[in-house]
DNA sequence: TTAGCTGCAAAGAGTTTGCTGGGAG
DNA sequence: CTCCCAGCAAACTCTTTGCAGCTAA
């Protein structure tokens, strides 16, 4: 089943990937159509096996839905995304829940800036 | 100039608005084209008068670029966005800067869940 | 056989762009 | 007279959908 190929690519990637990146990657091994990739991806997201995140560039990024909560530092120059696990937002979530009654189920956090590499090159 | 109408709508809105909402709003007073709205919006963003945020629904939301840093609680049922100012992320930013050298210039944070209203109705 | 996968092409949504005419200074 | 602004239609990108054929249990 082609789903396995797609899931494998996601599983083996340290970063979140776009549908196109996944498509390119899977295409190296088998014939596949972009629609199939999207359809499968939505399927995996529905089953909570994969998480989809829409970034400021309006593109969907997919990553393994493990419980390790990650966020990304995105360089506005080279567009590389560096994962970080420094996320104390659970605290903020609890506070919001307590003070507003809003029942939070998820959050997305995205940092933008310039990575060390790029700021070095700029000099 | 039509730019003023658009800027006024944004200025007078407590929430962030989509291009379409702005278009509808401005249309009540003058004739205007959607492209003009988009063009003007991009213009205002370039001049740092307006901030553009892409949410998980892949739609761009525009708001006044004041320094009051706001984030939104977005209800997955009614899709209403409630602003919150409980954002201690500056702390996290400093920590990241210190530990990784990544020079953060901005961030976006989006909470998803069910608002009190909707959880009440669900019962 | 039945149900679920696929490919292909077309549609869709939000946004941008090229070209042109029009208005302000 | 210039130049920027605005309207219109077409283009663009990413993603979804309808349909038909295929595959596997």
């Amino acid at each position: 089943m082609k789903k396995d190929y797609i899931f494998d690519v996601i599983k083996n990637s340290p970063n979140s990937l776009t549908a196109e990146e996944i498509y390119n990657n899977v295409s190296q091994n088998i014939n596949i159509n972009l629609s199939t990739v999207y359809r499968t991806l939505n399927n995996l997201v529905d089953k909570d096996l994969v998480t989809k995140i829409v970034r400021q560039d309006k593109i969907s990024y997919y990553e393994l839905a493990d419980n390790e909560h990650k966020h990304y530092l995105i360089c506005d120059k080279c567009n590389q995304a560096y994962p970080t696990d420094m996320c104390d937002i659970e605290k903020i979530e609890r506070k919001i829940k307590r003070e507003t009654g809003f029942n939070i189920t998820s959050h997305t956090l995205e940092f933008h800036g310039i990575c060390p590499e790029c700021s070095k090159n700029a000099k």
Side-chain angles (χ1 to χ4, degrees), chain A:
Chain A
M1 215 176 302
K2 309 214 168 178
K3 182 185 295 186
D4 298 328
Y5 285 87
I6 291 173
F7 194 44
D8 272 355
V9 169
I10 295 174
K11 231 184 303 185
N12 296 325
S13 168
N15 294 323
S16 46
L17 299 168
T18 65
E20 214 189 331
E21 287 169 336
I22 294 167
Y23 169 71
N24 288 333
N25 198 316
V26 173
S27 291
Q28 295 178 357
N29 300 314
I30 57 169
N31 272 7
I32 194 166
N33 190 283
L34 229 201
S35 324
T36 305
V37 173
Y38 275 112
R39 245 184 305 229
T40 306
L41 248 15
N42 286 338
N43 206 288
L44 291 169
V45 169
D46 283 348
K47 288 183 182 155
D48 279 326
L49 294 170
V50 164
T51 301
K52 165 180 163 179
I53 296 164
V54 174
R55 296 229 276 253
Q56 294 300 303
D57 56 11
K58 276 199 181 162
I59 294 175
S60 301
Y61 290 78
Y62 301 87
E63 62 186 36
L64 198 62
D66 55 7
N67 295 322
E68 247 190 79
H69 201 65
K70 263 184 277 171
H71 293 293
Y72 294 90
L73 314 176
I74 299 158
C75 180
D76 290 330
K77 270 227 170 112
C78 62
N79 208 33
Q80 262 262 230
Y82 303 85
T84 174
D85 52 4
M86 302 185 207
C87 167
D88 286 337
I89 294 186
E90 284 68 25
K91 249 186 281 175
I92 302 178
E93 284 193 1
R94 280 197 297 274
K95 190 173 167 194
I96 290 173
K97 201 163 191 166
R98 201 174 340 116
E99 300 188 9
T100 70
F102 201 101
N103 197 343
I104 295 170
T105 51
S106 71
H107 70 256
T108 55
L109 174 57
E110 195 180 323
F111 293 99
H112 280 262
I114 308 292
C115 70
E117 201 59 32
C118 283
S119 24
K120 206 186 303 166
N121 295 339
K123 283 173 192 169

